[in-house]
Amino acid sequence: MGRLTGGDPSLLRRINSAVVLQALRAIDSATLTDLVRDTGLSRPTVEGVIEGLTESGLVVETPAEEGEARRQGRPARRFRFRTEAGHLCGIEIGPHRVSALLSDLGGRLLGSMSREVTVEATADERLGRLREGVADMLKRAGVARSSLRAVGVGSPGIVDADGTVRLSTALPGWTGLPLGERLRRSFRCPVLVENDANTAAVAEHWQGAATDSNDVVFVLAGLSPGAGALIGGRLHRGFGGAAGEIGALHLLGGEASPEEVLSTTGEPLHPLDEEQVARVFALARAGDPGARAAEARFTRRLVHDVTALVLALDPELVVVGGWAAGLDGLLDPLRTELARYCLRPPLVDQSILGEAAIATGALRLALDHVEEELFAVESTVTARR
C-alpha cells in the first residue's frame, strides 16, 4: 500500500475504511462503540468512516429489534456490511460446456447456470453461449449486470496476467485469444482469467478437500492432465504462468503419445476426444482386454506425471479431480507410487467439489479481487506477486 505519511489523508481514509469494513464483515451488525473497540480507531474517526460507507451503499443502519427501545430507552445505532451492494460471478469455460456461479459480496451463492457447447465451437460461438447463459442467470436471480463488481474465469491453457490465453490445445481458436479483454467488454467490470487447474486448486482450498492444507497439488485428470499448486497458501503460477503443465511430460522421453496409450487396437486412437475415451473406459469396465490394457497404461502415465510434480513441490496433500478422477483404482496406485519415491508421501484425496470446482475457484478469484479492493487485503490466495 506504500509508505503512509501524514500528508496523505486519502490513503489514511482508505485504510480506516478498510479496517471498519473488515470489522463489520466479521459480525452480523455492530454499534459505533463495538467498532471503536474492535478497530482501535477514535469514535469521531469511526463516525466519519461509517457516514462515508453509508453514502457509498456499502454499509446500512439496521433497525432496532422490537422491544429493545422499551428495555433500554433509545437503542444504540447498529450497522452492517451490505453484502447485497454488489455481486460476483465465477465462470468455467470448457470443451463441452460453459458454466457460471453468482454470489453476493460475502460469497453466498445466488444462482448458477450451465450450457452445453460442442468441442468444435469457435471462440466466438463459445463466448456467445457463455454470454447468453450468464444473462439468463442474472435475469433469474433478479441481479442487474451493472451490479457485478468482479468476474473470475477458469479456462484451459497457459494464461497471461492480462487474461490473454498464450497457449491452449483444448479449444479451437483459443491460443492467442485476448479472453480477459473480450469479457471485460461484455461485463464492464474487472475480469480475472486463470488456468482451469489453478482455479480448481483454489476452490478445493476454499471449500473442498484442501481446506486444512496450505501446500496442495490439485490434479485435473483428463486427456492432457494439468495441475494447480498452492505453496504456503499462495497460488503458484510459475514465471510464465505454465506451472503444472504435466501433460507434456511424456514428450521428454519420447514416450508414447496419448493416442497410442489409449489405443485398444494397436493403431492410434482417433479422434482423441473425451467421448471416444469414455467408450474405451466403458469397454474396460465390461472386461474387454484391449480396453483394460489401455486404461492401465493411462493410469500408469497419470500416476508417473503426478509423482514427478510431487517430488518437485513436496506438498502436504494431493487432490485428484477432473473427469478421469473416477477411474477405478486411480487413487491407490497413486498412493503406492508416491510412497515408493517420496521421503514423506503426501496425503491423497479425491475432489469434493467435482464438476463445480473450476467455477467455484473462479468465483474465489472475483471475491479475492473485491477483498483487495474493499478491505485492503494483500495476502489473498490468488494475488499476483
Side-chain angles (χ1 to χ4, degrees):
M1 295 178 66
R3 181 171 175 267
L4 179 62
T5 69
D8 195 358
S10 63
L11 180 56
L12 183 58
R13 283 195 296 271
R14 178 170 178 261
I15 292 173
N16 289 340
S17 294
V19 169
V20 172
L21 272 178
Q22 286 224 52
L24 279 174
R25 188 178 61 155
I27 52 180
D28 291 335
S29 65
T31 65
L32 292 174
T33 300
D34 294 334
L35 293 172
V36 169
R37 181 193 66 237
D38 293 345
T39 64
L41 299 173
S42 69
R43 190 176 186 91
T45 297
V46 171
E47 289 175 342
V49 168
I50 286 292
E51 181 179 352
L53 292 173
T54 301
E55 290 175 358
S56 72
L58 288 171
V59 168
V60 66
E61 185 173 352
T62 61
E65 295 183 6
E66 187 177 355
E68 187 176 359
R70 289 197 299 270
R71 290 194 306 271
Q72 301 176 355
R74 182 180 178 182
R77 298 170 68 195
R78 303 188 71 86
F79 302 89
R80 68 171 178 86
F81 172 54
R82 292 187 68 238
T83 57
E84 70 274 21
H87 297 87
L88 308 169
C89 184
I91 290 171
E92 174 193 0
I93 301 176
H96 297 282
R97 68 170 190 168
V98 291
S99 63
L101 299 173
L102 178 70
S103 82
D104 62 18
L105 294 182
R108 182 174 64 94
L109 288 182
L110 302 174
S112 64
M113 77 86 185
S114 181
R115 298 283 178 94
E116 291 185 359
V117 63
T118 64
V119 177
E120 298 81 13
T122 65
D124 286 343
E125 291 169 341
R126 200 174 300 276
L127 292 179
R129 191 79 169 141
L130 171 65
R131 292 187 188 98
E132 292 171 2
V134 171
D136 180 62
M137 177 181 69
L138 293 173
K139 182 178 180 181
R140 285 186 283 110
V143 171
R145 183 182 295 262
S146 60
S147 77
L148 289 176
R149 298 290 294 257
V151 173
V153 182
S155 165
I158 299 170
V159 182
D160 288 337
D162 66 356
T164 299
V165 182
R166 186 147 51 91
L167 176 65
S168 176
T169 59
L171 304 179
W174 221 243
T175 295
L177 180 71
L179 182 57
E181 179 185 331
R182 294 278 297 269
L183 292 178
R184 278 188 284 274
R185 291 203 298 264
S186 297
F187 295 111
R188 300 187 183 279
C189 70
V191 174
L192 305 106
V193 184
E194 188 61 74
N195 169 267
D196 50 5
N198 286 349
T199 61
V202 169
E204 294 291 341
H205 183 262
W206 182 30
Q207 295 183 349
T211 54
D212 296 325
S213 301
N214 282 328
D215 291 272
V216 182
V217 164
F218 176 90
V219 180
L220 190 60
L223 289 180
S224 180
L230 271 64
I231 299 176
R234 295 288 293 267
L235 184 61
H236 178 69
R237 299 176 174 89
F239 179 75
E245 293 293 327
I246 58 177
L249 285 176
H250 72 278
L251 299 174
L252 296 177
E255 298 178 17
S257 68
E259 291 87 348
E260 294 168 320
V261 167
L262 288 161
S263 170
T264 60
T265 63
E267 295 294 325
L269 185 67
H270 182 78
L272 183 68
D273 58 30
E274 292 184 12
E275 183 177 349
Q276 182 87 326
V277 174
R279 283 197 288 269
V280 173
F281 292 152
L283 287 171
R285 286 192 294 272
D288 180 86
R292 293 186 68 177
E295 182 182 50
R297 288 193 298 269
F298 178 87
T299 300
R300 186 164 57 250
R301 168 74 60 79
L302 180 61
V303 166
H304 287 174
D305 291 350
V306 175
T307 300
L309 187 60
V310 168
L311 285 170
L313 296 181
D314 185 30
E316 178 186 8
L317 172 67
V318 173
V319 179
V320 182
W323 63 265
L327 293 177
D328 293 338
L330 177 60
L331 296 190
D332 284 342
L334 181 55
R335 292 187 181 104
T336 299
E337 196 78 353
L338 292 175
R340 179 182 175 188
Y341 289 108
C342 298
L343 181 64
R344 188 209 54 78
L347 300 171
V348 177
D349 208 346
Q350 196 154 358
S351 166
I352 290 177
L353 297 173
E355 290 187 346
I358 295 171
T360 301
L363 183 65
R364 182 70 238 187
L365 284 175
L367 185 57
D368 277 358
H369 176 83
V370 168
E371 289 188 349
E372 292 175 28
E373 182 183 68
L374 296 182
F375 308 120
V377 174
E378 295 183 335
S379 59
T380 59
V381 169
T382 59
R384 292 186 179 270
R385 298 184 188 278

